[in-house]
Amino acid sequence: SEAQIRDIDYYVLLMMIAEARENYTQQKDEEDEEGDIRRSLKFIKDKLMISQLNTVQNDRMSMMREMSADRSEAQIREIKHHTIHKDARKSPYVGTDIQRTLLADRNVPWEVAFPYNPPDFTEPDILKNSDKFSVDPSNPHNIIGGFNQIVDIDGDEVDRVSFCGTYQVVEGVPLNPRGRTGLSGRGQLSRWGPNHTAEPIVTRWARDINNEQVLLSGHPVLEFVGIFLKESRKWAIPGGLIRHGEQLTTALKREFGEDALGSTELDPDQKEHVRLMLREHLALGIAVYKGYVDDPRNTDNAWVESHAINYHDGLGTSFSMFPLRTSSEGESLQAEWITLDRNLDLYGNHEWILEKVCFHRHAYNPFSSSAKKQLPVVAT
């Protein structure tokens, strides 16, 4: 009947719907499964890529660390070149027959324990100086002001602070911040602990017979006012101890006047002329070094530290007028304009200080390893 047909059609329709739903569900499950697989594969791929990237990054970081370690090691070696003093351990002690205790480089630092009983020496003539602000007493416990301090005494500044930082004081005696020297006491130095010096480096450009700048490797060559030291037979930058209460600029002018111009031997009119010249020309300079000096006078308990200031005459019209000393009075045999040359025998760490001048002035550096190997000697 018509009603039965309708029931059958409705039943078939329900079956079709159920089949379609089942097919849809199955297809959806397959799609979900396929999606899950795709997602899983993508996850695995991403993990592999991340792992690869991490491996590459780790390799790069490891390489960078190795390169950094190599650079650091190279820098340490370079620092040690200036850190482990050499001249301060040479025997005999300058101007005497006193032999220092022989030290291997590894035994220089105070942190290294080993049997050490060096000779003790303080120059007797220094102790005869009655100026308590210039020369310390023989006993370091009786000094004016404390170690590692700047103390004002009646308007005069007593500076016992080191450029190297805080130094050790053991049983009231200061220890050289660069380590052992093989000699205790104060040697020929005026003060226990740091002895601050002022070193005026007066420079100009080297010029040929046509008054043109001399160039090497594309850089102008420097000349400096050097003094020749009788005892060590070396060339040195003028300089000396800064007096208690003395300003750095005053000390720089005084030292250059005494060492390079022989101002102490001049008559009053000449001294005044030199004073005016120094005031005019030694006004503006650049600081090229402030720190420890590897000086042969250093001991375990007294050492030299320098303020090195460069005054440069770019036109060659001012410092060339200075009447440099030619006498052999005192420690300085003579003062001359010296062309910076790789064969110069320079005092203490003055070669290293002059290298810094070359750097600041963009000048030819004859002391670099490449220059020493490749370039000819400059006549002086």
Side-chain angles (χ1 to χ4, degrees):
S1 67
E2 189 174 336
Q4 287 176 330
I5 290 171
R6 284 199 301 273
D7 290 341
I8 291 171
D9 290 343
Y10 180 71
Y11 175 77
V12 171
L13 181 61
L14 289 176
M15 290 295 291
M16 290 175 65
I17 291 172
E19 185 178 356
R21 183 179 293 167
E22 184 178 351
N23 290 337
Y24 173 78
T25 303
Q26 184 178 354
Q27 185 179 354
K28 185 71 170 61
D29 290 342
E30 289 175 356
E31 288 177 356
D32 289 345
E33 185 177 356
E34 186 179 350
D36 289 341
I37 292 171
R38 279 200 304 269
R39 283 191 292 272
S40 297
L41 288 173
K42 186 176 184 304
F43 177 77
I44 293 170
K45 184 180 177 182
D46 290 345
K47 290 292 287 184
L48 286 172
M49 288 181 66
I50 290 171
S51 177
Q52 271 188 321
L53 286 172
N54 286 340
T55 301
V56 171
Q57 189 174 6
N58 288 338
D59 289 344
R60 286 178 178 172
M61 289 297 293
S62 178
M63 188 185 304
M64 289 175 66
R65 278 193 294 268
E66 289 175 6
M67 291 171 64
S68 178
D70 290 342
R71 283 196 296 268
S72 297
E73 187 177 345
Q75 288 170 353
I76 288 170
R77 283 198 299 269
E78 186 65 20
I79 290 170
K80 283 184 177 178
H81 174 70
H82 300 296
T83 299
I84 299 179
H85 43 209
K86 302 291 184 182
D87 286 351
R89 292 155 51 199
K90 287 182 177 178
S91 287
Y93 184 79
V94 60
T96 73
D97 296 325
I98 298 172
Q99 297 292 319
R100 297 176 185 262
T101 296
L102 188 63
L103 292 166
D105 285 354
R106 65 178 178 275
N107 291 329
V108 170
W110 295 108
E111 294 78 13
V112 177
F114 84 106
Y116 181 61
N117 186 26
D120 185 273
F121 173 69
T122 299
E123 176 60 55
D125 288 343
I126 290 179
L127 299 177
K128 295 177 182 178
N129 192 316
S130 59
D131 183 359
K132 64 180 180 179
F133 286 101
S134 298
V135 178
D136 283 341
S138 58
N139 188 339
H141 296 88
N142 298 330
I143 64 166
I144 295 175
F147 292 118
N148 289 302
Q149 296 178 19
I150 300 176
V151 181
D152 187 276
I153 307 293
D154 298 329
D156 285 325
E157 192 177 81
V158 180
D159 185 357
R160 299 188 188 277
V161 173
S162 170
F163 299 139
C164 303
T166 302
Y167 50 88
Q168 300 180 64
V169 179
V170 178
E171 296 180 357
V173 180
L175 296 184
N176 190 316
R178 291 294 173 87
R180 301 178 175 95
T181 65
L183 183 70
S184 63
R186 214 171 70 217
Q188 296 179 356
L189 296 175
S190 299
R191 300 173 190 151
W192 296 98
N195 287 252
H196 296 127
T197 63
E199 293 182 315
I201 309 169
V202 173
T203 57
R204 68 182 183 186
W205 300 123
R207 298 181 182 274
D208 59 21
I209 56 174
N210 297 317
N211 202 34
E212 298 292 332
Q213 289 184 12
V214 177
L215 301 179
L216 283 175
S217 296
H219 295 281
V221 177
L222 275 175
E223 294 182 341
F224 80 105
V225 174
I227 56 172
F228 191 72
L229 305 179
K230 182 188 298 184
E231 292 186 358
S232 64
R233 308 294 297 175
K234 294 176 183 287
W235 287 99
I237 300 165
L241 192 68
I242 301 174
R243 297 167 181 169
H244 282 316
E246 187 176 37
Q247 295 294 318
L248 175 61
T249 53
T250 304
L252 288 162
K253 293 172 185 176
R254 176 180 55 78
E255 287 296 340
F256 189 79
E258 292 175 0
D259 285 357
L261 307 181
S263 60
T264 54
E265 287 87 35
L266 302 178
D267 62 44
D269 290 339
Q270 291 173 320
K271 283 184 180 180
E272 179 61 16
H273 176 64
V274 166
R275 188 187 69 81
L276 293 174
M277 288 184 69
L278 292 174
R279 187 176 68 178
E280 178 183 356
H281 298 296
L282 265 67
L284 296 175
I286 59 172
V288 294
Y289 183 67
K290 187 169 74 170
Y292 183 88
V293 177
D294 185 10
D295 194 289
R297 296 170 296 173
N298 290 354
T299 70
D300 289 354
N301 314 117
W303 59 92
V304 175
E305 297 187 7
S306 170
H307 283 271
I309 309 295
N310 176 222
Y311 301 94
H312 184 66
D313 179 9
L315 298 176
T317 56
S318 56
F319 298 149
S320 298
M321 305 302 294
F322 283 173
L324 300 181
R325 70 183 300 171
T326 56
S327 66
S328 59
E329 295 293 328
E331 186 182 43
S332 304
L333 283 173
Q334 58 194 16
E336 293 182 12
W337 283 103
I338 305 296
T339 304
L340 287 190
D341 175 77
R342 69 175 186 265
N343 289 331
L344 278 177
D345 196 4
L346 292 162
Y347 181 84
N349 65 346
H350 287 187
E351 177 180 309
W352 187 64
I353 294 175
L354 288 167
E355 273 195 272
K356 294 175 79 64
V357 176
C358 292
F359 172 79
H360 283 287
R361 297 296 177 187
H362 305 287
Y364 167 66
N365 177 11
F367 307 116
S368 66
S369 56
S370 58
K372 289 179 179 178
K373 290 177 183 176
Q374 299 172 8
L375 294 170
V377 176
V378 182
T380 58

